[in-house]
Structure formats: structure tokens, C-alpha cells
Amino acid sequence: MSNFQAAALARALRFAFGLPGPVRRLIAGPPIRLDGQDLHPEAQLLLRLQQLSGTGWRTRTAPESRLDLELSSKLVAGPKITGVGARELTIGEFAGRLYTPDGLAAGSPLLIFYHGGGWVSGSLESHDNLCRFLAAQAGVRVLAADYRLAPEAPFPAAADDAAEVLRYAVAKAGDLGVDAKRIALGGDSAGGNLAAVTAHGAEVDIAFLLLLYPGVDASVRRRSREVFGDGFFLTDEKIDWFLDQYAPGDGDRHDPRLSIMLAEDLSKMPPTYIATAGYDPLRDEGEAFAERLAAEGVPVVLRRHEGLFHGFANVLGVGGVFREAVSEAVGALRTGFALADSAQDVTGTA
């Protein structure tokens, strides 16, 4: 599909979302209710339009998976968010990008954001508008970085690269214009996994952890994989395929660098916000992780967005409910940095 065709299809999606409610319902089909919750009409419409347009996320090969995620991201990300500058970086052997809201003074907080995509797909481009949105709305710098992808670079390559990004940010804080003592980590899906794993192994204090529908336990199948395993963007079959690419050995799936849920001690994790989606096969493991953090004394806020599906953070260009969910995460990030600043002031005073 050419860029022109992709742009035309994106306009068609936005047009469909602007139709009267009864027409949107007719296109989406009868309401869907599972596990005591309704699939949000906007989520159902998007899934139906995706089905009709043939822009599903294939997982037969890694190149197909990468192309499909890039395409789907272009379709739903919306027009490029303005008021945010982007500076290209080189971090080790891979590319990075620093997003800075216009007029933001040096010495700001920094969010390091790891993109999702099952450790196989995803890139700076697939998550460009999401990072722009986070930077603009939170008023912070955002550092996004590529990492080696599977199957060419299997576990623990991505985890090693994610840790390298943090070390780079700390070492280059002055050049990046950020305060090395106010660094948060975040990510969506596999990126959320990398953020949590990196925070757990960090040699510096992390101010905050922002996790959007993270994968945190590859060692066990929970109920949500059975209930929402087919028809809601991320499927049970796709999860198995991604794990087979990233960690083909069963032993690796019990390693805390992949299944952070299995770490012996999580008590030193930073304050954390976890957003899950009601219609997500990964929902239950994300919520179990929140419970584990709380049980070990970590300040944690869990927010389940009932009626939404996995990947909602990238859907900024169509449907207000998706943007609202990401805006809530932005509010949590701003609060997390504010609390970290207060804690530093108290410590400094003492």
C-alpha cells in the first residue's frame, strides 16, 4: 500500500467516526458484551473497519508483522502533533529520538518510552505521534529508542538494549537538557515489559513507571487470554507467536528479565501507573502485577479501561475514547513527577 493509499484510508476512517451514531452502530454491528462489560462502540467500530479494510496485523513472518504495524499506526495515529520538536539521536548501535515541547526549559523531567510490538515489530515511526502527545501534554521531554528486534535478536537482546538506553540518558542528561534525577520509564505492551524490567534492574532511582497494557508474565496463561483471545486486535495466537520469536526456549519464559512478575523482590520498584484494557488478553497479568506491587509496598495506581482493546494508546486520530485514555495516563505521569519533586524537596530540607 502506497503512502497515498494509506492517507486516503486514514481519511476514510476519520470520516466513518464522524457519521451519526445510528450509522456507526449499523456499520459496527450489534453490541458485544463479554465478562460483564460492553465493548465500547468506538472500539467496536474500529475493529469492524479494520476487518472490512483488510488491514489486520499478520504474524506469519517478522517482516509482515513490522509492515502491518507501521501501516495500522499510520491509519489511526492522526495528523502529526505540532508544538513538539524532534531530535534524532544515536544510542549505541540503534536510533533514538528526543521529543521536546516548544519553549520547554533545560533541566526538565524525562520520560524514556519503549515502543510495543511484541519484541518483533514497532519502531520510532510507529509510535511517533504517541510520543509527541506524551511530551506535549505532560510538558516533559520524551526519549524514544529503537532496540534490537526478534527473531534476529532474541531474548534478552531487547532487555539489554532497554537498559542501555537508561544508562545513555543518565550519562547524557546535560546534553539532552534533562534532570538525571527526574527520569521516568514507560512503554506499551512489550515496551511496558521492557520499562518494568529496566526499572527493576536500574542502578539509579527511577522517578515513575508508566505501563500501558504491559506483558509481564510469559510463564502462565491467565483467564483473560481465554475470554478475549480472538477478535480484539491482539489475539491469543499472536501472543504465542511473538513469544516464540522472542523467547523460543521455555526456560527463558521464567526469567525475570522477561517475566518480571516472577522477580523475587519488587519492593524497590518506583511508583507505578498501570493501564489495562478490558478486552485485552493481557489484562489479567497486568492487573496481577499491580496487585503484586501493592502487596510489596510500592505505590501503584491500576486503571482498567473497560470496553477498550489492546493497543488503544496508538489510536489518537480517531474516536475520543482512545485519546481520553491516554490523557489519563498523562495526568498520572504529571502527578508522578510532582510527587517525586516533593519527595526530593523534603529530602533536601532534611
Side-chain angles (χ1 to χ4, degrees):
M1 178 179 292
S2 68
N3 288 334
F4 176 79
Q5 290 171 316
L9 189 52
R11 288 194 296 270
L13 283 175
R14 291 195 292 272
F15 172 78
F17 271 82
L19 293 170
V23 179
R24 296 200 305 270
R25 170 53 70 189
L26 183 64
I27 297 172
I32 295 175
R33 184 172 180 80
L34 281 176
D35 200 36
Q37 58 177 329
D38 296 317
L39 182 62
H40 194 283
E42 291 183 358
Q44 186 175 346
L45 177 60
L46 182 57
L47 290 170
R48 178 58 177 158
L49 292 171
Q50 179 191 59
Q51 180 186 35
L52 292 172
S53 64
T55 55
W57 194 9
R58 297 168 295 174
T59 50
R60 290 192 298 266
T61 68
E64 283 181 332
S65 174
R66 292 163 190 164
L67 285 172
D68 287 346
L69 185 58
E70 295 296 328
L71 172 59
S72 63
S73 296
K74 287 181 180 178
L75 294 180
V76 299
K80 182 174 289 188
I81 293 171
T82 59
V84 179
R87 172 184 162 195
E88 304 301 322
L89 303 169
T90 299
I91 303 174
E93 298 181 357
F94 42 92
R97 185 175 293 161
L98 180 69
Y99 297 90
T100 303
D102 292 350
L104 183 64
S108 73
L110 174 71
L111 170 67
I112 299 175
F113 192 86
Y114 303 101
H115 69 75
W119 305 280
V120 175
S121 49
S123 68
L124 297 180
E125 294 308 318
S126 67
H127 286 64
D128 178 71
N129 230 27
L130 173 57
C131 288
R132 290 176 181 275
F133 185 86
L134 293 171
Q137 298 301 313
V140 301
R141 286 174 170 83
V142 173
L143 174 61
D146 276 335
Y147 48 86
R148 288 173 292 170
L149 298 175
E152 296 88 347
F155 173 83
D160 290 342
D161 292 348
E164 183 179 347
V165 174
L166 174 60
R167 290 192 293 270
Y168 170 90
V170 173
K172 300 288 187 179
D175 181 58
L176 298 175
V178 303
D179 181 353
K181 294 182 179 180
R182 294 190 293 166
I183 294 178
L185 304 181
D188 65 313
S189 192
N193 168 273
L194 295 175
V197 169
T198 303
H200 184 256
E203 298 178 354
V204 296
D205 291 335
I206 302 300
F208 193 70
L209 190 57
L210 183 75
L211 305 181
L212 306 176
Y213 36 85
V216 292
D217 190 357
S219 70
V220 66
R221 298 172 59 87
R222 289 179 168 82
R223 177 175 170 272
S224 58
R225 285 191 61 173
E226 307 299 333
V227 179
F228 308 109
D230 186 37
F232 305 105
F233 185 64
L234 180 65
T235 65
D236 182 64
E237 181 181 4
K238 289 176 183 176
I239 294 171
D240 284 339
W241 185 84
F242 284 124
L243 286 170
D244 286 343
Q245 308 308 301
Y246 183 51
D250 288 340
D252 290 339
R253 300 188 185 186
H254 289 77
D255 190 315
R257 291 176 298 170
L258 173 55
S259 296
I260 185 63
M261 183 76 172
L262 303 185
E264 290 186 7
D265 182 9
L266 295 174
S267 64
K268 294 181 174 58
M269 293 287 278
T272 300
Y273 174 86
I274 299 178
T276 62
Y279 275 70
D280 184 357
L282 296 183
R283 183 193 71 187
D284 288 357
E285 63 187 78
E287 295 181 0
F289 187 57
E291 293 174 3
R292 170 88 191 276
L293 290 175
E296 297 201 21
V298 177
V300 59
V301 172
L302 170 65
R303 172 67 159 102
R304 177 193 291 186
H305 293 281
E306 292 195 353
L308 299 190
F309 54 79
H310 189 92
F312 65 73
N314 272 50
V315 190
L316 294 172
V318 295
V321 66
F322 306 107
R323 185 177 287 251
E324 290 169 7
V326 184
S327 294
E328 184 174 313
V330 167
L333 178 63
R334 293 175 66 98
T335 301
F337 275 129
L339 292 175
D341 291 345
S342 297
Q344 286 187 16
D345 291 342
V346 171
T347 302
T349 302

